[in-house]
Amino acid sequence: MPKIEFIDPKVERQSGEIKLDPIPVNQYSKSIEDEKLNFTKDEFIRIYRDMVIIREFENMINDIKIKSEYNGIAYNHPGPAHLSIGQEASAVGMAYHLDAEDYIFGSHRSHGEILAKGLSVINKWNDSQLMEVMKGYWDGATLRPVEKGIRAR
Amino acid sequence: MNDLAIDFLLYGTLAEIFARENGFNKGLGGSMHAFFTPFGVYPNNAIVGGSGDIAVGGALYKKVNKKPGIVVANIGDASMGCGPVWEGMVFSSMDQFRLLWEGEFQGGLPIIFNFMNNQYGMGGQTRGETMGYDVLARVGAAFAPYQMHTERVDGYNPLAMIDACGRKKKILEEKKGPVLLDTLTYRFSGHSPSDASSYRTKEEIEAWQNVDSIIDYGQSLVKAGICSQSDLDEIKANTVGKVEKVLKLASSDDISPKMNLYANPRAIEEVMFTNGSVDSFDDREPEVNMPMEENPRVQQIAKKERFGLKDGKEVSKMKAYQLRDGLFEAIVDRFYKDATCIAYGEENRDWGGAFAVYRGLTEALPYHRLFNSSISEGAIVGTAVGYALCGGRVIPELMYCDFLGRAGDEVFNQMSKWQAMSAGYLKMPIVMRVSVGSKYGAQHSQDWSSLVAHIPGIKVIFPTTPYDAKGLLNAALQGTDPVMVFESQRLYDIGELFHTAGVPEGYYEIEIGDPDVKRAGKDITILTIGSTLYTAIEAAKTLEEKYGLSAEVIDARSIVPFNYEKVIESVKKTGRIVLASDACERGSVLKEMAQTISETAFDYLDAPPVVVGSRNWITPAYELEEFFFPQKQWILDAIHTKILPLEGHEPKHDFSSKEQLRRSKLGV
Ligand SMILES: Cc1ncc(C[n+]2csc(CCOP(=O)(O)OP(=O)(O)O)c2C)c(N)n1
């Protein structure tokens, strides 16, 4: 109710109609050839790689949930897993231009978005930025096992 | 290094999904709530559409605090049926951002509502069954003349999606948001792995698999001569190796232990609250319109009597420093200390809040720090959650406690949980104000503090004097936890009647959780929550004058946390206790307090603690309220019937056990 907004009955009571602009539906029509102007070879390939990483990650969880096993590695995961197999292009495309200062919030089905966004940021950051964050997070608790690699199980 | 970082990302996510302590959220988030803010991955949400308003709060944080970047809410197509998503979109497209916010703060919120449209809810088909939009993108046209720049993108083509998101990001950077994207996609996987896909045909799944975006895109790269099939195969093989590696790591109990609650039984307890003390969440100078001394409200308060009694008589309402002044002083102080501090709700600006707590703030603050929101209680709280977890301090207000149901999920599942679900990584500095009414009947007169107290993760205070209001609110506004402030409409204009030194002009804090003895006594204790304090004081006077009993009256002031020490000390002395508040008696938190006192001070009690609450009815009209809310007579009757016969007392209300059981049997 800011007083500066005067509501004029003459204007408000005028007859007329609301016009909507057309809403674009699937209008993208470029070919890879066209897009060569916008993407380097590495970028084209990285898009593919990111989709594959998400797909494999989700396939693995699917196997674990259904067969309690993935490529010979057995595990039982009693908790939830809402997978996005099939949706990888959406996640990777959504995240492609985003850096760490861009925030994403998601849903119950967001493993793919976490990975896509993380991969996009990793690609944009330099080594020291990455190392600083990884070393600092929970004092390196998440990083250490990854660095050490696999020891005896 | 990139390789290591990718392993780190996969491992941190998987360990989180497997509830391991090395996970991104120490295993306290899990699959549906995993996130990693250093990469800009903010909370994911198991409540469908939960991010629909929280993400708007993130965008609000960026705008108000001049932070770079945009915000994307990735939510499902079926979440278009959720109120909070609509509220989030309404809130994000309020005209004021473009028209009324000033200077560099002017312009639309930097947010994309990205509907990941896999065309199903769990089993319900959105287009054709559970929604009526035909094409989801249509909805965007409803919110504003610029139609939220809505469009449908073929989310099956990564390049189409990149193209769309690039264009939309630019729109946001030009301050022309919000944006709605209808990202068309499909999941081959079931809703969850146990899903039998009874709601769709095999042919349909196959048809989408036949145009699988990974295969299609890979082939187009090969065809365009960008790489060879063997390059793609190598990527796949490499990936499988990585996934195997992180699975081995994350599934190993040695390498990735779960939180050890045997070794540290308090591990989760310790992250329920962050219990911080923060003057300001940003170094920058707070944006204000004038020095505080020049504010008309501040000047007006300076002339008031800071103690409400003079020669034993109450100072007139006009002259007295009122409870609303105490709230105002704490809030205005924080606005001048912490640049991130903002307040909003319904009729907050210009009007000054329905109960004039904010009178004077409109003059003091630019639009972006104090504004009127749409009538969207869910989004008022939900955006506050997003604002706070991004790093700002925020004071959302619900005009009436009774509207809490409209913000149910935001209070009960969001505001309360993200600190703990982040293992203490995120902070939630929200001071949420609600008022408890009394004159407007059944839907405007309820004390729901017990509902909120039931939910782990929220601090709850209910100040009843100007001194307590200022001190408790200061403490809440200095902290890092969500605090729900209950304010009684009966008390906004009350003066300070207890703290004889008056309400200090300077800053002070009252510890949240510490009850206050408002009247000393030795024969019986009366513990109250909310405005019933004043009824109890009247009862205490009658007990003294008519029955020669000295009553000690304790004002709980806080409900969560609650330190019982003073109450138990009192009970040790008196051996008797009555508990009273305006909340409906069944399930009232007073019952919990009575039970705790019984268990912990049983040896000192001469009689069981007795609770006097409101009837388990609708709140009737003001003219009938004496039949509903606890009255002085009720307290005396309850004492007489259940604790200690008062000589010559003739009870007017039936507090017998028989009556109590009769009512319970009927559920009233
Ligand atoms: C508020 C709420 N209602 C219901 C559910 C149960 N539920 C979980 S996912 C889901 C379907 C959500 O569909 P959509 O938003 O389109 O996302 P999708 O699962 O398709 O990715 C439902 C009904 C829930 N988690 N939260």
Side-chain angles (χ1 to χ4, degrees):
Chain A
M1 47 158 273
K3 286 185 205 135
I4 48 175
E5 302 287 314
F6 180 72
I7 301 176
D8 186 347
K10 276 210 291 284
V11 174
E12 297 303 321
R13 300 184 70 205
Q14 262 168 17
S15 73
E17 61 184 13
I18 295 171
K19 290 200 182 69
L20 298 184
D21 293 330
I23 298 170
V25 173
N26 301 333
Q27 295 218 338
Y28 178 88
S29 62
K30 290 182 194 161
S31 67
I32 297 262
E33 277 317 314
D34 302 331
E35 289 285 26
K36 279 184 177 168
L37 292 171
N38 301 321
F39 297 90
T40 64
K41 179 181 162 189
D42 282 353
E43 286 166 345
F44 275 124
I45 294 177
R46 190 173 65 76
I47 293 164
Y48 179 81
R49 183 205 64 181
D50 289 0
M51 291 199 288
V52 169
I53 290 177
I54 296 170
R55 172 72 57 89
E56 200 54 33
F57 186 86
E58 297 282 70
N59 273 342
M60 174 268 291
I61 296 178
N62 196 47
D63 283 0
I64 291 290
K65 284 299 291 185
I66 289 174
K67 302 187 290 189
S68 298
E69 184 252 346
Y70 168 80
N71 293 358
I73 307 160
Y75 184 62
N76 172 43
H77 170 57
H82 301 88
L83 307 178
S84 58
I85 299 170
Q87 302 185 187
E88 299 85 355
S90 305
V92 171
M94 176 275 298
Y96 186 84
H97 290 295
L98 304 184
D99 204 335
E101 68 192 23
D102 303 306
Y103 298 167
I104 64 167
F105 290 80
S107 71
H108 57 287
R109 196 182 303 288
S110 286
H111 300 165
E113 292 145 21
I114 300 172
L115 299 185
K117 178 68 165 35
L119 290 166
S120 172
V121 172
I122 288 170
N123 186 59
K124 291 176 177 65
W125 279 15
N126 64 36
D127 285 3
S128 68
Q129 280 175 302
L130 287 171
M131 211 54 205
E132 194 187 322
V133 158
M134 294 193 291
K135 276 201 169 136
Y137 202 75
W138 300 138
D139 298 322
T142 309
L143 177 62
R144 269 189 298 277
V146 182
E147 270 186 326
K148 273 193 227 149
I150 308 149
R151 278 179 313 182
R153 271 160 49 82
Chain B
M1 179 61 67
N2 257 5
D3 238 22
L4 178 68
I6 293 171
D7 289 354
F8 169 87
L9 174 68
L10 296 177
Y11 172 71
T13 307
L14 189 61
E16 185 55 38
I17 293 169
F18 290 168
R20 307 293 172 145
E21 203 171 12
N22 293 338
F24 280 151
N25 321 106
K26 295 204 171 174
L28 294 179
S31 164
M32 298 191 282
H33 317 108
F35 60 98
F36 184 67
T37 59
F39 286 168
V41 180
Y42 275 70
N44 295 302
N45 214 302
I47 301 300
V48 171
S51 289
D53 51 14
I54 294 177
V56 176
L60 187 65
Y61 174 79
K62 287 205 177 289
K63 174 174 250 339
V64 167
N65 297 289
K66 302 184 263 188
K67 304 285 183 202
I70 67 162
V71 175
V72 183
N74 290 307
I75 47 185
D77 47 315
S79 81
M80 188 60 98
C82 300
V85 172
W86 283 77
E87 288 195 8
M89 291 195 285
V90 167
F91 189 108
S92 72
S93 54
M94 291 192 292
D95 278 340
Q96 62 181 291
F97 297 127
R98 291 152 176 264
L99 301 181
L100 300 176
W101 288 33
E102 298 136 329
E104 58 188 317
F105 300 98
Q106 193 161 54
L109 286 189
I111 181 164
I112 300 177
F113 295 91
N114 181 36
F115 289 87
M116 290 289 197
N117 184 359
N118 63 19
Q119 309 172 72
Y120 283 94
M122 279 174 65
Q125 233 166 24
T126 44
R127 178 190 211 166
E129 186 184 16
T130 64
M131 301 299 285
Y133 48 50
D134 184 36
V135 177
L136 188 150
R138 178 193 311 280
V139 176
F143 290 94
Y146 52 92
Q147 302 188 180
M148 273 191 169
H149 315 279
T150 183
E151 73 176 79
R152 166 169 284 189
V153 198
D154 177 11
Y156 240 47
N157 179 347
L159 299 179
M161 190 62 185
I162 291 171
D163 170 76
C165 290
R167 286 185 284 110
K168 301 305 184 191
K169 189 168 183 234
K170 216 163 134 251
I171 289 174
L172 298 189
E173 284 161 357
E174 289 163 359
K175 302 189 180 186
K176 291 181 180 158
V179 158
L180 188 151
L181 265 189
D182 169 4
T183 299
L184 187 76
T185 183
Y186 194 84
R187 57 167 162 79
F188 313 147
S189 39
H191 165 71
S192 60
S194 59
D195 176 349
S197 277
S198 53
Y199 49 87
R200 54 183 182 175
T201 61
K202 226 172 83 217
E203 290 74 25
E204 182 185 290
I205 301 173
E206 278 167 13
W208 287 87
Q209 277 173 328
N210 287 340
V211 289
D212 185 334
S213 55
I214 297 185
I215 297 171
D216 260 16
Y217 179 68
Q219 283 172 353
S220 67
L221 292 186
V222 175
K223 223 163 61 206
I226 289 166
C227 62
S228 66
Q229 183 58 43
S230 64
D231 292 335
L232 301 183
D233 294 343
E234 199 185 310
I235 288 173
K236 166 89 197 246
N238 215 331
T239 299
V240 170
K242 274 189 173 312
V243 170
E244 284 175 352
K245 175 180 163 187
V246 297
L247 175 59
K248 280 184 193 159
L249 291 174
S251 61
S252 156
D253 288 340
D254 297 335
I255 299 167
S256 310
K258 300 196 179 81
M259 190 170 264
N260 188 341
L261 288 161
Y262 292 111
N264 181 10
R266 296 183 182 173
I268 295 178
E269 171 186 315
E270 284 163 0
V271 296
M272 287 308 300
F273 294 112
T274 42
N275 288 315
S277 174
V278 177
D279 289 336
S280 171
F281 282 98
D282 201 325
D283 296 336
R284 77 177 199 279
E285 205 48 44
E287 299 98 21
V288 291
N289 292 342
M290 57 175 72
M292 206 197 292
E293 321 77 76
E294 288 175 19
N295 186 276
R297 174 88 179 269
V298 171
Q299 290 174 351
Q300 185 202 15
I301 290 176
K303 298 192 198 108
K304 291 189 169 186
E305 296 289 344
R306 299 184 80 96
F307 183 55
L309 291 175
K310 224 174 191 176
D311 311 321
K313 282 214 308 244
E314 275 187 49
V315 180
S316 78
K317 299 277 184 213
M318 286 288 288
K319 290 223 74 176
Y321 178 101
Q322 303 177 346
L323 189 144
R324 58 162 65 85
D325 298 326
L327 297 170
F328 171 81
E329 281 196 338
I331 289 167
V332 79
D333 175 70
R334 189 59 52 177
F335 269 114
Y336 279 77
K337 267 186 195 156
D338 185 343
T340 70
C341 182
I342 60 171
Y344 53 91
E346 291 149 25
E347 338 310 342
N348 277 192
R349 201 173 174 90
D350 301 310
W351 197 307
F355 311 103
V357 173
Y358 291 167
R359 195 170 290 154
L361 279 189
T362 303
E363 291 84 338
L365 301 168
Y367 248 99
H368 67 281
R369 301 194 69 199
L370 175 76
F371 59 91
N372 296 328
S373 71
S374 49
I375 315 299
S376 311
E377 282 79 8
I380 290 171
V381 183
T383 53
V385 169
Y387 190 88
L389 61 77
C390 285
R393 191 181 285 291
V394 52
I395 313 175
E397 181 199 88
L398 299 194
M399 196 185 290
Y400 276 77
C401 175
D402 312 65
F403 309 156
L404 199 58
R406 279 284 176 92
D409 183 60
E410 288 77 1
V411 172
F412 297 152
N413 278 319
Q414 310 297 344
M415 178 167 110
S416 53
K417 295 200 168 47
W418 284 109
Q419 293 200 106
M421 284 204 289
S422 72
Y425 194 86
L426 297 175
K427 300 194 171 41
M428 193 62 71
I430 298 179
V431 174
M432 175 171 169
R433 300 181 43 247
V434 302
S435 83
V436 179
S438 73
K439 295 182 181 165
Y440 278 30
Q443 296 173 333
H444 280 70
S445 312
Q446 302 170 89
D447 169 356
W448 277 352
S449 53
S450 297
L451 288 182
V452 183
H454 180 69
I455 305 298
I458 311 175
K459 293 184 176 176
V460 185
I461 59 176
F462 199 155
T464 58
T465 72
Y467 175 74
D468 291 348
K470 182 173 173 180
L472 282 167
L473 204 58
N474 274 337
L477 287 168
Q478 178 75 18
T480 52
D481 293 308
V483 182
M484 188 97 134
V485 189
F486 286 81
E487 302 165 9
S488 169
Q489 287 174 26
R490 296 184 218 269
L491 302 181
Y492 277 124
D493 64 0
I494 201 151
E496 177 55 48
L497 306 177
F498 299 96
H499 193 76
T500 49
V503 181
E505 284 169 24
Y507 181 86
Y508 63 96
E509 290 175 21
I510 291 174
E511 190 185 339
I512 296 178
D514 184 31
D516 188 40
V517 177
K518 291 283 195 266
R519 182 188 199 274
K522 58 180 180 28
D523 299 324
I524 187 163
T525 307
I526 310 177
L527 174 62
T528 62
I529 294 173
S531 69
T532 314
L533 166 70
Y534 295 89
T535 315
I537 293 284
E538 290 306 309
K541 282 183 194 155
T542 305
L543 285 169
E544 182 103 61
E545 288 158 12
K546 255 179 115 172
Y547 304 104
L549 282 179
S550 132
E552 179 147 297
V553 180
I554 304 179
D555 179 7
R557 299 198 292 196
S558 301
I559 303 172
V560 182
F562 188 75
N563 182 348
Y564 278 95
E565 276 168 28
K566 282 183 189 165
V567 177
I568 290 173
E569 227 171 85
S570 175
V571 167
K572 281 184 181 172
K573 188 167 58 176
T574 63
R576 310 174 178 107
I577 185 165
V578 183
L579 304 92
S581 88
D582 279 350
C584 289
E585 197 171 294
R586 184 174 61 235
S588 159
V589 74
L590 293 177
K591 296 275 189 179
E592 144 105 14
M593 290 178 167
Q595 174 68 12
T596 307
I597 294 161
S598 298
E599 286 178 23
T600 55
F602 188 68
D603 291 347
Y604 303 96
L605 285 167
D606 296 339
V610 171
V611 171
V612 179
S614 291
R615 302 300 304 275
N616 299 314
W617 303 343
I618 56 164
T619 314
Y622 181 55
E623 293 85 340
L624 302 175
E625 281 189 350
E626 67 183 280
F627 298 91
F628 178 79
F629 292 119
Q631 307 292 312
K632 180 180 88 173
Q633 178 76 29
W634 298 20
I635 295 176
L636 299 175
D637 291 353
I639 293 171
H640 176 76
T641 309
K642 294 199 134 162
I643 300 178
L644 173 74
L646 304 171
E647 217 182 302
H649 181 73
E650 293 207 0
K652 296 201 173 67
H653 303 272
D654 190 350
F655 277 90
S656 67
S657 302
K658 192 173 155 215
E659 173 64 2
Q660 193 175 356
L661 296 175
R662 184 193 72 84
R663 289 177 186 173
S664 175
K665 194 171 169 187
L666 296 174
V668 295

